[in-house]
Amino acid sequence: MPRNEYISLGTQREQATVENLLIEALRIYSIECYYLPRGIINRDFLLNEVIESKFDDAFKVEMYLQDVEAYGGDGQFLGKFGLEIRDQLNLVVARKRWDQLVGNFNVNGRVRPGEGDLIYVPMVKGLFEISFVKGDSPFYQLGNLPLYTMTCELFEYSNERLDTNIAEIDQVEDLEATRIILTIGASAITYRVGETVSQVLDSDTTVSGQIASVTATTLVVTQTRATDSDLFWQVTAGGYGNAIGAISGITSPITAVDDIVFDQDPLAQNDGFESDGNSWIDFSVDNPFGSANSFGE
Amino acid sequence: MLGNFFYHKTIKRTIAAFGTLFNNLIVRRETAAGAVLSQTRVPFSYAPRQKFLARLDEITKTEEQRVAIKLPRMSFEITGIAFDTNSALNRMNKRKLVVGDTSATRVFQSVPYDINITLSIVAKNQDDALQIVEQILPTFAPEYTLSLKDLEGAGSRTDVPVILTDITPEITYEGDFASRGIVIWTLSFTVKTRFTGETQTQGVITDVDVDFMNFANRDEFFSEISIVPDSADEAVITFNSTNDEDS
């Protein structure tokens, strides 16, 4: 036998002792984070990408922040697409604790921290996406692998659904998701923030969304979905029904629809281009090659 | 510089007109059955901006910044301007703008230039970017012509072709897992616009007298034609001849 059998690299008891010491240290020096497993709603098997995701669960887990001086990554910079924030974090979690607090619930089939899952760090109010999980550091010191080290970067939001019931996490969706303003009238204030509001358009089509905020006369709705691709929110008339709150039970007619506004995106100039362009483009000329501002309509 | 101050905002108008072309693109995510999961109007901006202004605009969000960037997005910027020799006309041509009783404004022939513009599309998914690109491409064959007001002086209408010259996808997927994947499509356009110089004012010829005589003997007078407006209020461009052969 080539190896000395009287010297061990770690018995199970030694491994468990060291692992428990690591966990104790992590629970002292770590910060509390929320772990959000990604749920895949629609996957494109041709282009090999996830079209639509949802994050319905958030598990509180202690994680050690490896970066002690500042974020990693490129930080904040002004690019051609506006202000981008390329912050990175390295977070360490004990394998045993992750199994206890997340893995045991078998959400979305996770048996280990997964790339693409999210971690919300309340201390910095940042939502981070796991880009890589390193499971072999420290490398078999006692013959086991007690830690996961997760490289995370600030999340690029693209209309993902966040319904965790943790207000500060769900608020990301309220602020960043595509917003539509429905003018309801005096009864708008009686709808509940967070509830689903829907409108029946015809026998095949119901459009629904989540109320992000209410004013006296308007509902700001995010995450609009529709059972048919041709119709969206409509002013109540004829066959187009009222806006119905799923929890509050309120039903009121929609008097105006402000379709997809950019009040939370100060860099978007869509409406500014249109107002300037309309005064300089001659729409009266019958242009055989088409008319401006017609894309997507 | 020769002449007096003038500024017709030609490039600003081109930017606004170009922006209007692409300000209403939609990205929609659907299930296989056709139900809509989400629909987004793609945020669009002119890329160059003052740095401090970008920070100030985002300051409320930056203090509680929760995400890196919101996608998909589009932006564009001017990458170059070059003289268009193929469209150049005689520079001595003049265009009358406003003609009054005693004076008229005019501009010399506008000068053609090509403005090169790069439109960039960034998305999280290839499918989002493809939706945007496929809404753009059918309109450009490879040009799309806008009719712009007042480009060659007040009251003018100028056809400005916008030509799609190049399309470059950049889909970065190789490399280590710690670096981001990138889906960026870059579309290059040439906008054939025209720059106009100073608007000048000149007097208007309000009446014309023509004398006919013997060139060899200038004392020998044949006849005279006098051309004057019918009235002081009459526009001078509607002269009536009062030629009287007997006079």
Side-chain angles (χ1 to χ4, degrees):
Chain A
M1 183 169 289
R3 196 180 167 279
N4 186 335
E5 61 186 280
Y6 298 103
I7 304 298
S8 169
L9 285 180
T11 64
Q12 281 192 349
R13 287 190 174 182
E14 288 170 335
Q15 290 172 355
T17 301
V18 171
E19 189 168 22
N20 287 337
L21 287 171
L22 280 170
I23 290 171
E24 190 170 344
L26 284 174
R27 295 187 72 176
I28 293 170
Y29 296 108
S30 63
I31 54 176
E32 282 192 339
C33 301
Y34 289 95
Y35 188 92
L36 287 69
R38 178 187 292 264
I40 296 175
I41 300 174
N42 190 8
R43 176 174 173 174
D44 187 329
F45 287 95
L46 181 65
L47 297 176
N48 305 311
E49 62 187 13
V50 173
I51 298 296
E52 190 77 7
S53 300
K54 63 175 181 178
F55 298 89
D56 290 342
D57 299 289
F59 299 93
K60 193 180 277 189
V61 186
E62 74 274 5
M63 295 185 185
Y64 177 69
L65 187 60
Q66 270 194 338
D67 311 84
V68 292
E69 292 189 349
Y71 290 111
D74 297 328
Q76 298 189 21
F77 66 93
L78 184 62
K80 66 176 68 173
F81 299 107
L83 191 66
E84 297 180 40
I85 304 176
R86 299 301 182 192
D87 289 337
Q88 278 190 347
L89 283 180
N90 288 297
L91 293 166
V92 178
V93 63
R95 188 179 288 249
K96 188 175 177 180
R97 289 293 288 166
W98 191 90
D99 288 342
Q100 289 173 345
L101 299 172
V102 183
N104 281 346
F105 296 94
N106 194 29
V107 176
N108 302 329
R110 289 290 178 282
V111 294
R112 69 164 183 84
E115 287 80 0
D117 290 348
L118 300 184
I119 295 174
Y120 181 73
V121 185
M123 186 176 74
V124 299
K125 296 180 178 176
L127 192 59
F128 292 83
E129 181 176 351
I130 301 173
S131 55
F132 183 59
V133 179
K134 189 175 173 59
D136 56 4
S137 177
F139 189 67
Y140 293 101
Q141 284 179 336
L142 291 175
N144 67 341
L145 299 169
L147 300 176
Y148 292 117
T149 303
M150 297 169 290
T151 302
C152 310
E153 52 195 11
L154 206 56
F155 186 46
E156 291 178 339
Y157 186 76
S158 187
N159 248 26
E160 286 84 357
R161 285 161 53 185
L162 298 167
D163 293 318
T164 63
N165 287 328
I166 309 293
E168 54 186 325
I169 297 176
D170 294 351
Q171 192 185 16
V172 174
E173 178 189 279
D174 296 340
L175 292 174
E176 305 291 345
T178 298
R179 298 155 69 88
I180 293 173
I181 297 178
L182 305 178
T183 302
I184 297 295
S187 61
I189 198 73
T190 54
Y191 287 86
R192 291 192 193 175
V193 172
E195 75 170 322
T196 298
V197 61
S198 61
Q199 181 188 27
V200 176
L201 298 175
D202 58 39
S203 58
D204 297 326
T205 309
T206 300
V207 61
S208 63
Q210 191 168 310
I211 298 177
S213 63
V214 297
T215 68
T217 56
T218 61
L219 305 178
V220 176
V221 178
T222 63
Q223 298 296 357
T224 292
R225 276 154 264 170
T227 52
D228 188 88
S229 61
D230 295 329
L231 288 173
F232 246 45
W233 297 104
Q234 302 290 333
V235 171
T236 300
Y240 300 147
N242 290 343
I244 304 168
I247 298 173
S248 63
I250 304 296
T251 173
S252 296
I254 300 171
T255 56
V257 178
D258 191 355
D259 205 6
I260 310 177
V261 294
F262 292 109
D263 57 338
Q264 293 294 325
D265 194 341
L267 298 183
Q269 295 173 263
N270 301 52
D271 297 331
F273 287 139
E274 187 166 337
S275 59
D276 281 353
N278 284 350
S279 60
W280 290 326
I281 298 175
D282 184 5
F283 292 101
S284 67
V285 175
D286 187 11
N287 190 331
F289 304 103
S291 58
N293 196 30
S294 64
F295 292 166
E297 291 184 340
Chain B
M1 193 64 195
L2 301 174
N4 300 314
F5 170 80
F6 61 89
Y7 178 41
H8 301 304
K9 301 180 181 176
T10 303
I11 296 177
K12 284 181 73 173
R13 289 173 192 219
T14 305
I15 290 170
F18 188 84
T20 307
L21 278 175
F22 304 99
N23 78 332
N24 201 24
L25 291 167
I26 301 290
V27 166
R28 183 179 286 183
R29 294 174 185 160
E30 298 179 350
T31 64
V36 178
L37 293 168
S38 69
Q39 175 169 301
T40 303
R41 187 179 172 198
V42 184
F44 187 39
S45 60
Y46 180 60
R49 62 184 66 241
Q50 285 185 316
K51 284 190 173 179
F52 80 90
L53 208 51
R55 287 280 292 167
L56 288 178
D57 285 345
E58 290 277 355
I59 198 162
T60 309
K61 296 174 69 179
T62 306
E63 288 174 350
E64 297 184 4
Q65 187 65 45
R66 293 178 170 86
V67 298
I69 190 172
K70 185 181 168 187
L71 299 177
R73 304 191 75 85
M74 300 197 307
S75 73
F76 70 100
E77 61 185 320
I78 293 173
T79 54
I81 299 179
F83 184 71
D84 177 15
T85 50
N86 294 327
S87 304
L89 297 174
N90 186 343
R91 293 197 61 185
M92 297 310 293
N93 291 345
K94 302 183 191 90
R95 176 188 176 86
K96 288 178 185 171
L97 301 178
V98 179
V99 181
D101 290 341
T102 58
S103 66
T105 56
R106 64 172 193 187
V107 290
F108 277 100
Q109 175 66 52
S110 59
V111 182
Y113 273 83
D114 290 345
I115 299 180
N116 299 316
I117 294 179
T118 298
L119 172 73
S120 301
I121 302 163
V122 63
K124 196 165 184 174
N125 306 321
Q126 290 184 67
D127 192 61
D128 289 356
L130 293 178
Q131 287 186 41
I132 297 169
V133 169
E134 290 193 19
Q135 286 174 76
I136 293 173
L137 297 191
T139 305
F140 294 91
E143 82 283 341
Y144 175 89
T145 303
L146 290 170
S147 185
L148 294 190
K149 298 179 201 172
D150 304 336
L151 210 60
E152 297 175 275
S156 69
R157 299 287 184 271
T158 304
D159 282 345
V160 176
V162 180
I163 305 168
L164 177 59
T165 57
D166 188 49
I167 306 162
T168 307
E170 178 190 356
I171 302 166
T172 306
Y173 61 94
E174 296 172 302
D176 63 86
F177 284 94
S179 57
R180 287 177 191 266
I182 297 171
V183 178
I184 293 178
W185 284 69
T186 305
L187 279 63
S188 300
F189 292 89
T190 297
V191 181
K192 303 184 86 65
T193 192
R194 309 187 78 90
F195 290 91
T196 307
E198 176 189 357
T199 302
Q200 298 171 328
T201 303
Q202 68 176 42
V204 172
I205 299 170
T206 54
D207 66 66
V208 179
D209 290 327
V210 181
D211 294 335
F212 295 88
M213 64 190 68
N214 186 340
F215 187 74
N217 178 13
R218 298 193 179 189
D219 292 334
E220 189 180 348
F221 181 78
F222 291 154
S223 65
E224 177 188 14
I225 297 176
S226 180
I227 303 172
V228 295
D230 291 343
S231 69
D233 298 332
E234 195 76 20
V236 289
I237 55 174
T238 59
F239 281 116
N240 290 319
S241 170
T242 57
N243 177 26
D244 184 354
E245 291 179 352
D246 296 331
S247 64

